[in-house]
Every structure is written in structure tokens, then in C-alpha cells.
Amino acid sequence: MELLKLDLQFFSGEKTESATPKKRQDARKKGQTAKSQDINTAVVLLAVFTYLMIAGNYLKTGIFSFFKNSFQDSITMEITEQNVMKLFISIVKELTMYLGPIMLVAMIAGVASNFLQVGVIFSMEAIQPKLEKINPISGFKRIFSMRAIVELVKSILKIGFIGAVTFSVLWAKMSVILSLAEKPVGTALATIGSLSVQMGLYASGSLLFLALLDFLYQKYDFEKSIRMSKQDIKDEYKTSEGDPLIKSKIKQRQREMAMRRMMQDVPTADVVITNPTHFAVVIKYDEEKGDAPYVVAKGADFLAQKIKMIAKENEVTTIENRPLARALYSQTEVGATIPEEFFKAVAEILAYVYRLKNKI
């Protein structure tokens, strides 16, 4: 028996259950989500090289013009404080005009790739400094952990795959590369630039393919890391919803308090309608509270007998009407006015009670 208990405790501690929505929300607040950095890198590179392919002629013309002005005009400029400042501002403007769009494309691509992966997350905990990160013992554990080995294998595979793709592009253009020595400098530079953009596009495309596989792995690894045991789920339920035993005791206490209040209102009622043994419905009519009679209390079996006993002790009239008592018990709630279809029957009973008490 003891061994069975120990086995149950052991298996209840195994993290075999999927994370609950609350667990996922807590992890997200800490900045923990399934995310692949390779997707960011691949998307940024792909966007930048695509821009270079589209705006290649514009950039080529601008860069050649920049170097031409530098070697023809600027080199003969007299060195003065005013001229140096003027030259500096001119260079900054040209660099901004040519490099600014590239940086803007890279920034937009980086933000978009992050948003597509994890959405909008703002977590201060993710950027808080932690002393354990500079702990050498923890550092050695991270270096020689299984995760580090997996990352090393992934890096080797990425380098090999991307290198093979890039080399295949170069090999396909080998005749063009060998003929560069016979071409003018401008044509050779344009060819090299075009070839570089092609290599970049193929390399970033292959990296994006690997990054998508890495994202699937990161998602699997993240789901595995936030798994919960059956005991964790029970503890979370107790924390968020409250201990079931305590909740049942609270509900029991609330029922007892409601019953006491209900019993306290019985002596002030006008009439108790019974069936006569199983049901008892207490009715009161108060002009200040409403135009219709309302139910003060109701009960079945033992509670019905207790209501009748309290009514007898306080000289509240008890009327036996089996169908009406059963209907009122099933179709009304304590504190609610009686349904319209019972107005006539209840009014006749109240009129009879008032005549007995000489109230009319």
C-alpha cells in the first residue's frame, strides 16, 4: 500500500500535462515565448538584399558619383574649418540618402518578424539584470548542457547548408567570375555587386527555410518547458479558484445564513400555503414594497415542517392548497413576486386570511 502511494506521488509529479492558459499567460508576462532568432536574421537579410536588388542601379549611380566627387572636387579643396564642416555635412547627407533606406528596411523587417512570432509583449522581467547570469558555475552548466550541444549542432548544420547554397551560386557563375579580369573596372564592380546580391538572396532564403524548422523546434521545446504535473494543475486551481473544501464550507455557511434570514422573516408573513406535508411557501403582501405579493420563504420536507412550526408559534395562518403550494414552490424564488397566473388564487387566500384577522 505504501509503495502504491509512493508511485502515485511520483507519477503525479511528472510534468506530462499541457500548460494551462494561466501558466501560458504567466510565462508570457515573463517574456517567455516560442521564438527563433534565426527568423529575425533571415527576414532582415532577405529584406535588405531584396531592396539592394530593386534599388541596385540607384545605389550604383550614387556611390560612383560620391567617389567621383571625392577624388575630383574634394581632394583639391582648401583645408579650412568652414570647408571641412561643409564637406562633413555633405558626406553625412549623402550617406543618409543611400544607407538610410537600407537601415529603415532592416528595422521594419526586424519588427515585423518579431511581431509575427510573438505579437506585442512588454515585460520588465526579461530585461532585469540577474546575478546568476554572471555566476561562473551556472555559466559552465549552460556551456555543457544538452541545449548548448543542440545549438552547436544546429549552427554547424546552418553553416554547412548555407555555405553549400552560396558555393553552388558561385560555381554556377564561375565563367563570369573568371572573365572579370578582362572587363573594365566599372563593369567588374557592377558584376561583383550583382553576384553578391544573388548570393545574399539565396543565402537568406536558405536561412529562412532553416529558421522555420528552428521555430518548430523552439515551439516544441517551449511547450515541453512549460508542461505541468497533475499536482501543479491542482495547486494552480486551488490558488486561482480556492480550495474546493473551503469553497464548499463557504457555500454551506452562506446557505445557513440565508436560511436563518428566511426563517426570521416567517413571523412577519401573512400566510403559509402548504400541500400539507411536503411543501410550504410563505407569502407576504406589502403595499410599500410592491403591487403584488412576494415569497418570504419556502421549503420542502423537513424545512417545510420547520416553517410550519415557526408559523404556528407566531400565529401565522397556514392554508392547505396542494396544487398551488407545489406550483409556487417550483416556479418562484425567495424574495420574488408571485407569477401573474397565481394572482387570483393567492388574492383569494389573502382575502380569506385578512377576514380571519379582521383586517378588512
Side-chain angles (χ1 to χ4, degrees), residues 33-51:
T33 56
K35 177 183 175 183
S36 174
Q37 292 293 343
D38 291 339
I39 287 184
N40 296 349
T41 305
V43 171
V44 170
L45 287 176
L46 191 61
V48 168
F49 280 112
T50 302
Y51 173 77

Side-chain angles (χ1 to χ4, degrees), residues 38 45 89 171 225 262 287 350:
D38 291 339
L45 287 176
I89 294 174
W171 188 260
S225 67
M262 188 174 69
E287 295 181 357
L350 287 175

Side-chain angles (χ1 to χ4, degrees), residues 47-189:
V48 168
F49 280 112
T50 302
Y51 173 77
L52 292 176
M53 181 182 66
I54 295 172
N57 291 328
Y58 164 73
L59 293 175
K60 181 186 73 173
T61 303
I63 291 173
F64 277 134
S65 175
F66 173 75
F67 281 110
K68 181 179 179 181
N69 292 334
S70 298
F71 288 113
Q72 288 184 355
D73 301 332
S74 302
I75 199 169
T76 59
M77 183 182 294
E78 184 180 357
I79 300 177
T80 63
E81 183 178 351
Q82 185 177 1
N83 288 340
V84 170
M85 181 59 67
K86 183 179 179 181
L87 180 61
F88 174 76
I89 294 174
S90 175
I91 292 174
V92 168
K93 285 182 178 179
E94 291 194 39
L95 289 177
T96 302
M97 187 168 52
Y98 299 131
L99 299 181
I102 298 176
M103 297 176 65
L104 181 62
V105 167
M107 184 183 70
I108 293 174
V111 172
S113 61
N114 268 296
F115 179 77
L116 291 175
Q117 287 189 84
V118 299
V120 179
I121 295 181
F122 181 77
S123 174
M124 294 298 296
E125 186 170 345
I127 60 176
Q128 286 180 354
K130 296 181 180 179
L131 295 177
E132 62 181 19
K133 291 185 178 180
I134 60 175
N135 186 352
I137 298 177
S138 300
F140 279 116
K141 288 182 179 178
R142 287 195 297 269
I143 292 173
F144 297 102
S145 64
M146 181 58 66
R147 182 183 291 272
I149 295 174
V150 171
E151 292 297 327
L152 176 62
V153 173
K154 283 166 50 182
S155 299
I156 293 173
L157 290 175
K158 282 189 292 186
I159 292 172
F161 184 73
I162 296 172
V165 171
T166 307
F167 179 76
S168 65
V169 175
L170 284 175
W171 188 260
K173 300 290 183 178
M174 186 59 66
S175 59
V176 177
I177 295 173
L178 294 176
S179 64
L180 288 178
E182 302 173 358
K183 295 182 179 181
V185 176
T187 305
L189 290 176

